[in-house]
Amino acid sequence: LFAARVGSFKAHYFTQPGFSADPPLPHDPPLLYNVVEDPSERFDVAARHPEALERIRERVAAHRETLEPVVDQLAIRLDP
């Protein structure tokens, strides 16, 4: 999960420059942007809005609980 949005706030857990071979850069704590007031996502407001980060964390955790384990389809052997 690279990012999640709840209301006007969007949290970035990882960022990666577009079309880059560089690995994603993790952010802990996540970067937080108010995409209504700052649609270009230039100003990290995480320090001013810890309640928004917590609300997003709760939603992400609830979503993850609904996910099924992923089967590695490349490892499945088909009988001839």
Side-chain angles (χ1 to χ4, degrees):
L1 178 69
F2 270 66
R5 179 178 172 180
V6 174
S8 61
F9 290 100
K10 182 178 175 185
H12 285 266
Y13 296 95
F14 293 89
T15 55
Q16 184 175 24
F19 306 107
S20 173
D22 295 336
L25 179 64
H27 301 286
D28 186 21
L31 304 175
L32 183 70
Y33 301 100
N34 183 327
V35 295
V36 172
E37 295 176 6
D38 178 23
S40 61
E41 299 179 6
R42 295 186 319 161
F43 305 104
D44 179 11
V45 296
R48 294 194 335 242
H49 295 283
E51 75 289 347
L53 272 179
E54 184 58 29
R55 189 168 50 248
I56 293 172
R57 281 189 184 113
E58 289 170 358
R59 295 275 183 95
V60 167
H63 171 71
R64 285 187 170 149
E65 289 179 9
T66 69
L67 301 177
E68 297 287 330
V70 176
V71 176
D72 183 356
Q73 294 179 3
L74 297 176
I76 296 174
R77 181 172 171 248
L78 300 176
D79 291 325

XYZ file of all heavy atoms in Angstrom:
642
model
N 0.853 -1.177 0.000
C 0.000 0.000 0.000
C 0.894 1.234 0.000
O 1.670 1.434 0.925
C -0.910 -0.016 1.226
C -1.829 1.174 1.403
C -2.903 1.179 0.329
C -2.448 1.148 2.774
N 0.810 2.011 -1.051
C 1.623 3.215 -1.158
C 0.970 4.408 -0.470
O 1.636 5.215 0.154
C 1.874 3.558 -2.630
C 3.102 2.923 -3.190
C 3.187 1.547 -3.337
C 4.183 3.692 -3.574
C 4.312 0.954 -3.855
C 5.332 3.109 -4.093
C 5.391 1.728 -4.230
N -0.359 4.533 -0.608
C -1.047 5.704 -0.067
C -2.500 5.357 0.219
O -3.040 4.395 -0.329
C -0.969 6.871 -1.044
N -3.124 6.156 1.088
C -4.544 6.001 1.397
C -5.132 7.370 1.675
O -4.465 8.234 2.264
C -4.739 5.087 2.610
N -6.379 7.538 1.255
C -7.051 8.833 1.451
C -8.342 8.632 2.231
O -9.107 7.705 1.974
C -7.366 9.474 0.102
C -8.085 10.792 0.256
C -8.345 11.454 -1.067
N -9.201 12.633 -0.864
C -9.609 13.415 -1.823
N -9.272 13.181 -3.074
N -10.376 14.447 -1.548
N -8.556 9.527 3.186
C -9.817 9.603 3.925
C -10.196 11.072 3.965
O -9.444 11.900 4.503
C -9.698 9.024 5.348
C -10.975 9.260 6.126
C -9.367 7.535 5.307
N -11.331 11.401 3.373
C -11.755 12.796 3.309
C -10.759 13.616 2.512
O -10.330 13.218 1.430
N -10.363 14.741 3.051
C -9.442 15.616 2.326
C -7.972 15.289 2.593
O -7.087 15.927 2.030
C -9.722 17.081 2.677
O -9.530 17.293 4.058
N -7.698 14.288 3.435
C -6.319 13.952 3.770
C -5.868 12.675 3.072
O -6.611 11.698 2.989
C -6.150 13.788 5.282
C -6.257 15.083 6.020
C -7.432 15.433 6.664
C -5.187 15.962 6.069
C -7.539 16.634 7.340
C -5.276 17.164 6.750
C -6.459 17.496 7.381
N -4.634 12.706 2.601
C -4.024 11.556 1.929
C -2.681 11.284 2.578
O -1.834 12.172 2.679
C -3.854 11.863 0.449
C -3.273 10.730 -0.361
C -3.214 11.160 -1.830
C -2.549 10.142 -2.705
N -2.409 10.649 -4.090
N -2.490 10.042 3.021
C -1.235 9.631 3.652
C -0.422 8.803 2.666
O -0.953 7.893 2.031
C -1.511 8.812 4.909
N 0.851 9.119 2.549
C 1.771 8.370 1.688
C 2.691 7.546 2.576
O 3.483 8.095 3.340
C 2.614 9.319 0.837
C 1.867 9.929 -0.291
N 1.867 9.384 -1.542
C 1.075 11.025 -0.352
C 1.127 10.137 -2.347
N 0.627 11.141 -1.630
N 2.610 6.217 2.453
C 3.471 5.311 3.199
C 4.771 5.053 2.442
O 5.795 4.752 3.039
C 2.747 3.994 3.465
C 1.553 4.186 4.351
C 0.272 4.357 3.816
C 1.688 4.242 5.725
C -0.825 4.552 4.628
C 0.590 4.443 6.553
C -0.658 4.601 5.990
O -1.743 4.799 6.799
N 4.716 5.146 1.113
C 5.877 5.001 0.242
C 5.743 6.029 -0.874
O 4.636 6.370 -1.279
C 5.924 3.611 -0.414
C 6.163 2.492 0.539
C 5.096 1.857 1.161
C 7.442 2.045 0.817
C 5.303 0.816 2.041
C 7.659 1.001 1.696
C 6.582 0.387 2.313
N 6.867 6.505 -1.371
C 6.868 7.338 -2.571
C 7.949 6.813 -3.500
O 8.919 6.172 -3.067
C 7.136 8.822 -2.261
O 8.350 8.947 -1.525
C 5.990 9.451 -1.478
N 7.759 7.077 -4.775
C 8.722 6.666 -5.783
C 8.603 7.622 -6.960
O 7.498 7.865 -7.443
C 8.428 5.241 -6.237
C 9.406 4.677 -7.209
C 9.110 3.217 -7.505
O 7.998 2.749 -7.353
N 10.127 2.491 -7.924
N 9.737 8.172 -7.393
C 9.672 9.060 -8.554
C 9.112 8.307 -9.760
O 9.414 7.127 -9.962
C 11.131 9.465 -8.796
C 11.830 9.191 -7.508
C 11.090 8.057 -6.866
N 8.289 8.976 -10.545
C 7.692 8.342 -11.713
C 8.736 7.828 -12.680
O 9.765 8.455 -12.903
N 8.489 6.650 -13.224
C 9.346 6.026 -14.232
C 10.777 5.839 -13.740
O 11.732 5.932 -14.509
C 9.324 6.834 -15.539
C 7.939 7.068 -16.054
C 7.361 8.323 -15.968
C 7.204 6.030 -16.586
C 6.080 8.551 -16.434
C 5.912 6.231 -17.053
C 5.348 7.492 -16.979
N 10.931 5.592 -12.454
C 12.261 5.431 -11.871
C 12.523 3.963 -11.557
O 11.623 3.227 -11.153
C 12.363 6.247 -10.584
O 13.577 5.969 -9.933
N 13.761 3.548 -11.739
C 14.163 2.193 -11.353
C 14.534 2.141 -9.876
O 14.775 1.067 -9.334
C 15.344 1.747 -12.202
N 14.575 3.298 -9.217
C 14.899 3.343 -7.788
C 13.792 2.656 -6.997
O 12.615 2.732 -7.352
C 15.039 4.787 -7.311
C 16.209 5.505 -7.949
O 17.165 4.816 -8.378
O 16.169 6.741 -8.028
N 14.164 1.994 -5.894
C 13.138 1.347 -5.066
C 12.272 2.398 -4.375
O 12.688 3.534 -4.171
C 13.948 0.545 -4.047
C 15.277 1.218 -3.995
C 15.510 1.808 -5.357
N 11.048 2.003 -4.001
C 10.175 2.934 -3.274
C 10.826 3.369 -1.963
O 11.511 2.595 -1.300
C 8.917 2.117 -2.999
C 8.953 1.004 -3.980
C 10.405 0.722 -4.250
N 10.596 4.618 -1.585
C 11.134 5.183 -0.355
C 10.055 5.126 0.725
O 8.996 5.725 0.573
C 11.560 6.634 -0.600
C 12.131 7.406 0.570
C 13.442 6.784 1.034
C 12.353 8.856 0.173
N 10.296 4.368 1.826
C 9.279 4.281 2.881
C 9.251 5.548 3.735
O 10.262 6.230 3.899
C 9.730 3.080 3.712
C 11.197 2.990 3.484
C 11.457 3.534 2.100
N 8.073 5.844 4.289
C 7.901 7.006 5.170
C 7.236 6.550 6.465
O 6.119 6.045 6.453
C 7.042 8.076 4.498
C 7.614 8.573 3.222
N 8.705 9.413 3.176
C 7.268 8.323 1.940
C 8.992 9.670 1.918
N 8.140 9.018 1.146
N 7.945 6.721 7.576
C 7.401 6.377 8.884
C 7.813 7.475 9.865
O 8.977 7.521 10.257
C 7.915 5.025 9.348
C 7.244 4.574 10.628
O 6.147 5.083 10.937
O 7.804 3.698 11.322
N 6.917 8.369 10.205
C 5.492 8.350 9.915
C 5.213 8.708 8.455
O 6.067 9.294 7.775
C 4.917 9.423 10.844
C 6.039 10.380 11.053
C 7.295 9.538 11.017
N 4.025 8.354 7.990
C 3.668 8.673 6.611
C 3.631 10.182 6.367
O 3.415 10.961 7.289
C 2.258 8.088 6.454
C 2.076 7.169 7.590
C 2.968 7.636 8.687
N 3.854 10.555 5.113
C 3.648 11.942 4.711
C 2.137 12.163 4.648
O 1.392 11.258 4.279
C 4.250 12.196 3.334
C 5.727 11.877 3.161
C 6.134 12.073 1.704
C 6.563 12.736 4.073
N 1.690 13.348 5.013
C 0.249 13.630 5.005
C 0.003 14.935 4.264
O 0.652 15.945 4.527
C -0.287 13.741 6.437
C -1.789 13.963 6.559
C -2.558 12.710 6.146
C -2.151 14.364 7.978
N -0.958 14.885 3.357
C -1.313 16.067 2.576
C -2.806 16.313 2.651
O -3.590 15.361 2.686
C -0.918 15.894 1.102
C 0.557 15.658 0.923
C 1.051 14.383 0.731
C 1.453 16.718 0.969
C 2.409 14.167 0.579
C 2.810 16.509 0.814
C 3.284 15.232 0.626
O 4.621 15.014 0.487
N -3.196 17.577 2.674
C -4.598 17.956 2.538
C -4.791 18.238 1.047
O -4.407 19.291 0.554
C -4.917 19.196 3.374
C -6.372 19.571 3.300
O -7.034 19.375 2.285
N -6.891 20.124 4.381
N -5.365 17.278 0.332
C -5.438 17.381 -1.122
C -6.482 18.377 -1.601
O -6.489 18.740 -2.772
C -5.652 16.000 -1.779
C -4.443 15.108 -1.532
C -6.922 15.347 -1.292
N -7.355 18.840 -0.711
C -8.314 19.884 -1.081
C -7.608 21.236 -1.087
O -7.731 22.017 -2.028
C -9.529 19.889 -0.131
C -10.417 21.084 -0.392
C -10.316 18.586 -0.274
N -6.835 21.506 -0.048
C -6.118 22.781 0.057
C -4.786 22.778 -0.706
O -4.300 23.840 -1.081
C -5.854 23.102 1.531
C -7.116 23.339 2.324
C -6.844 23.569 3.795
O -5.650 23.659 4.185
O -7.814 23.658 4.563
N -4.211 21.599 -0.907
C -2.895 21.467 -1.539
C -2.936 20.316 -2.554
O -2.359 19.252 -2.328
C -1.843 21.207 -0.452
C -0.441 20.993 -0.977
O -0.133 21.446 -2.099
O 0.354 20.359 -0.259
N -3.636 20.498 -3.682
C -3.799 19.392 -4.633
C -2.489 18.918 -5.259
O -2.410 17.780 -5.722
C -4.742 19.956 -5.697
C -4.731 21.421 -5.522
C -4.338 21.703 -4.098
N -1.446 19.723 -5.251
C -0.164 19.298 -5.807
C 0.679 18.526 -4.787
O 1.781 18.079 -5.105
C 0.624 20.494 -6.330
O 0.884 21.394 -5.280
N 0.161 18.369 -3.567
C 0.819 17.603 -2.497
C 2.254 18.077 -2.269
O 3.202 17.319 -2.287
C 0.767 16.105 -2.811
C -0.648 15.590 -2.907
C -0.743 14.115 -3.232
O 0.295 13.422 -3.289
O -1.877 13.640 -3.430
N 2.395 19.360 -1.991
C 3.717 19.947 -1.742
C 4.023 20.125 -0.269
O 5.183 20.198 0.111
C 3.833 21.298 -2.451
C 3.777 21.175 -3.952
C 4.034 22.476 -4.674
N 3.367 23.602 -4.006
C 3.699 24.871 -4.190
N 4.674 25.187 -4.995
N 3.040 25.825 -3.572
N 2.990 20.227 0.590
C 3.209 20.573 1.993
C 2.744 19.450 2.920
O 1.543 19.196 3.058
C 2.481 21.877 2.339
C 2.860 23.008 1.430
C 1.997 23.426 0.429
C 4.094 23.635 1.550
C 2.337 24.461 -0.421
C 4.457 24.672 0.698
C 3.578 25.077 -0.291
N 3.709 18.784 3.553
C 3.412 17.707 4.501
C 2.836 18.326 5.777
O 3.489 19.149 6.424
C 4.691 16.932 4.800
C 4.499 15.802 5.787
O 3.345 15.449 6.104
O 5.523 15.266 6.242
N 1.619 17.929 6.150
C 0.952 18.499 7.324
C 0.779 17.466 8.441
O -0.045 17.642 9.339
C -0.413 19.130 6.937
C -0.216 20.297 5.988
C -1.358 18.088 6.346
N 1.570 16.399 8.412
C 1.437 15.324 9.397
C 1.606 15.823 10.829
O 0.862 15.411 11.724
C 2.434 14.212 9.101
N 2.552 16.710 11.060
C 2.800 17.207 12.417
C 1.606 18.000 12.954
O 1.353 17.992 14.161
C 4.053 18.067 12.445
N 0.866 18.645 12.069
C -0.275 19.463 12.493
C -1.583 18.679 12.578
O -2.555 19.167 13.151
C -0.456 20.638 11.531
C 0.687 21.618 11.579
C 0.403 22.947 10.902
N -0.604 22.922 9.877
C -0.395 23.226 8.597
N 0.812 23.549 8.196
N -1.380 23.212 7.731
N -1.616 17.467 11.995
C -2.874 16.708 11.955
C -2.670 15.233 12.323
O -2.977 14.342 11.524
C -3.513 16.826 10.569
C -3.938 18.212 10.233
N -5.083 18.769 10.746
C -3.351 19.161 9.467
C -5.194 20.010 10.286
N -4.153 20.269 9.515
N -2.179 14.957 13.535
C -1.998 13.551 13.925
C -3.323 12.787 13.969
O -3.350 11.580 13.750
C -1.349 13.639 15.310
C -1.705 15.002 15.820
C -1.814 15.882 14.608
N -4.429 13.484 14.230
C -5.742 12.819 14.269
C -6.128 12.299 12.889
O -6.755 11.243 12.764
C -6.824 13.765 14.817
C -7.303 14.845 13.859
C -6.331 15.982 13.543
O -5.307 16.128 14.228
O -6.627 16.734 12.602
N -5.743 13.002 11.825
C -6.034 12.553 10.462
C -5.221 11.302 10.139
O -5.739 10.347 9.546
C -5.751 13.654 9.457
N -3.945 11.297 10.540
C -3.118 10.104 10.327
C -3.687 8.907 11.077
O -3.731 7.797 10.543
C -1.685 10.351 10.793
C -0.730 10.950 9.787
C 0.641 11.158 10.408
C -0.628 10.093 8.549
N -4.145 9.110 12.292
C -4.720 8.012 13.075
C -5.992 7.486 12.421
O -6.213 6.277 12.352
C -4.998 8.465 14.509
C -5.514 7.361 15.404
C -4.583 6.163 15.498
O -3.352 6.325 15.370
O -5.098 5.042 15.684
N -6.834 8.373 11.936
C -8.070 7.965 11.257
C -7.748 7.135 10.007
O -8.362 6.103 9.759
C -8.899 9.191 10.905
C -10.276 8.891 10.397
C -11.186 10.115 10.330
N -10.596 11.260 9.654
C -10.251 12.410 10.248
N -10.445 12.576 11.542
N -9.730 13.397 9.556
N -6.741 7.561 9.253
C -6.345 6.801 8.067
C -5.760 5.453 8.465
O -6.083 4.421 7.866
C -5.363 7.619 7.199
C -6.089 8.831 6.601
C -4.760 6.755 6.107
C -5.179 9.816 5.881
N -4.920 5.430 9.503
C -4.352 4.153 9.981
C -5.459 3.172 10.369
O -5.384 1.982 10.071
C -3.430 4.397 11.169
C -2.082 4.898 10.795
C -1.152 4.895 12.030
N 0.124 5.466 11.669
C 0.601 6.610 12.122
N -0.076 7.307 13.002
N 1.777 7.061 11.723
N -6.478 3.670 11.045
C -7.590 2.800 11.447
C -8.314 2.229 10.232
O -8.660 1.049 10.199
C -8.573 3.580 12.319
C -8.040 3.905 13.692
C -8.910 4.880 14.465
O -9.935 5.358 13.919
O -8.559 5.176 15.626
N -8.558 3.064 9.227
C -9.233 2.596 8.008
C -8.384 1.582 7.249
O -8.899 0.601 6.732
C -9.569 3.771 7.097
C -10.572 4.740 7.645
C -11.996 4.262 7.359
N -12.963 5.214 7.824
C -13.522 6.157 7.067
N -13.229 6.257 5.805
N -14.393 6.990 7.603
N -7.079 1.833 7.179
C -6.182 0.899 6.492
C -6.173 -0.439 7.229
O -6.256 -1.504 6.610
C -4.758 1.486 6.373
C -3.744 0.423 5.959
C -4.753 2.642 5.376
N -6.094 -0.419 8.545
C -6.097 -1.656 9.330
C -7.405 -2.419 9.132
O -7.393 -3.643 8.958
C -5.878 -1.348 10.809
N -8.528 -1.718 9.133
C -9.822 -2.370 8.921
C -9.890 -2.986 7.522
O -10.400 -4.099 7.341
C -10.954 -1.371 9.119
N -9.374 -2.295 6.542
C -9.366 -2.821 5.175
C -8.498 -4.069 5.076
O -8.902 -5.063 4.460
C -8.864 -1.754 4.203
C -8.618 -2.285 2.835
N -9.640 -2.665 1.998
C -7.464 -2.517 2.159
C -9.123 -3.106 0.859
N -7.811 -3.018 0.939
N -7.320 -4.032 5.686
C -6.410 -5.187 5.620
C -7.033 -6.437 6.234
O -6.744 -7.550 5.802
C -5.086 -4.853 6.288
C -4.244 -3.945 5.432
C -2.867 -3.743 6.002
N -2.040 -3.063 5.007
C -1.060 -2.251 5.295
N -0.735 -2.019 6.546
N -0.367 -1.675 4.344
N -7.889 -6.262 7.236
C -8.550 -7.409 7.857
C -9.512 -8.105 6.902
O -9.856 -9.271 7.099
C -9.288 -6.971 9.113
C -8.369 -6.615 10.257
C -9.124 -6.164 11.491
O -10.362 -6.285 11.540
O -8.455 -5.671 12.417
N -9.965 -7.417 5.877
C -10.906 -8.008 4.924
C -10.212 -8.743 3.787
O -10.873 -9.419 3.000
C -11.821 -6.929 4.298
O -11.047 -6.077 3.442
C -12.519 -6.112 5.365
N -8.899 -8.629 3.675
C -8.172 -9.224 2.557
C -7.906 -10.702 2.784
O -7.596 -11.128 3.893
C -6.850 -8.490 2.334
C -6.956 -7.004 2.027
C -5.566 -6.396 1.911
C -7.765 -6.762 0.776
N -8.013 -11.460 1.718
C -7.684 -12.881 1.749
C -6.199 -13.037 1.432
O -5.631 -12.215 0.716
C -8.506 -13.621 0.693
C -10.003 -13.570 0.921
C -10.435 -14.454 2.072
O -9.772 -15.488 2.314
O -11.433 -14.118 2.723
N -5.586 -14.119 1.915
C -4.188 -14.357 1.550
C -4.061 -14.519 0.029
O -4.945 -15.064 -0.622
C -3.839 -15.658 2.260
C -4.876 -15.821 3.311
C -6.103 -15.112 2.830
N -2.956 -14.062 -0.511
C -2.716 -14.156 -1.947
C -1.985 -15.447 -2.246
O -0.999 -15.779 -1.601
C -1.888 -12.949 -2.435
C -1.551 -13.082 -3.909
C -2.635 -11.659 -2.168
N -2.486 -16.183 -3.238
C -1.842 -17.415 -3.669
C -0.820 -17.070 -4.738
O -1.126 -16.338 -5.685
C -2.890 -18.400 -4.240
C -2.219 -19.650 -4.783
C -3.917 -18.753 -3.180
N 0.383 -17.578 -4.578
C 1.429 -17.351 -5.573
C 1.116 -18.200 -6.797
O 1.366 -19.402 -6.830
C 2.798 -17.711 -5.000
C 3.944 -17.436 -5.968
O 3.680 -17.039 -7.130
O 5.098 -17.611 -5.550
N 0.541 -17.573 -7.807
C 0.115 -18.323 -8.993
C 1.289 -18.844 -9.814
O 1.126 -19.791 -10.573
C -0.781 -17.428 -9.853
C -2.074 -17.103 -9.149
C -2.969 -16.209 -9.975
O -2.665 -15.861 -11.104
N -4.099 -15.841 -9.418
N 2.462 -18.261 -9.651
C 3.625 -18.756 -10.367
C 4.135 -20.057 -9.767
O 4.842 -20.812 -10.428
C 4.720 -17.694 -10.368
C 4.376 -16.393 -11.077
C 5.517 -15.394 -10.921
C 4.084 -16.633 -12.540
N 3.797 -20.326 -8.525
C 4.262 -21.523 -7.854
C 3.287 -22.694 -8.017
O 3.596 -23.822 -7.636
C 4.477 -21.258 -6.374
N 2.127 -22.466 -8.594
C 1.136 -23.523 -8.766
C 1.580 -24.427 -9.905
O 1.901 -23.973 -11.001
C -0.270 -22.922 -9.072
C -0.751 -22.120 -7.886
C -1.241 -24.031 -9.423
C -2.051 -21.386 -8.153
N 1.596 -25.704 -9.635
C 1.987 -26.678 -10.660
C 0.729 -27.248 -11.281
O -0.148 -27.746 -10.578
C 2.817 -27.798 -10.039
C 3.269 -28.798 -11.035
C 4.254 -29.773 -10.410
N 4.466 -30.821 -11.364
C 4.068 -32.071 -11.195
N 3.493 -32.430 -10.082
N 4.287 -32.967 -12.117
N 0.672 -27.180 -12.564
C -0.470 -27.754 -13.261
C -0.107 -29.165 -13.691
O 0.947 -29.413 -14.280
C -0.834 -26.901 -14.496
C -1.214 -25.445 -14.199
C -1.442 -24.695 -15.502
C -2.454 -25.399 -13.348
N -1.006 -30.103 -13.405
C -0.755 -31.496 -13.845
C -0.995 -31.596 -15.339
O -1.993 -31.082 -15.850
C -1.689 -32.449 -13.092
C -1.329 -32.544 -11.623
O -0.121 -32.471 -11.308
O -2.243 -32.675 -10.790
N -0.078 -32.290 -16.043
C -0.250 -32.428 -17.503
C -1.394 -33.330 -17.884
O -1.932 -34.069 -17.203
C 1.077 -33.011 -17.976
C 1.829 -33.447 -16.777
C 1.151 -32.869 -15.588
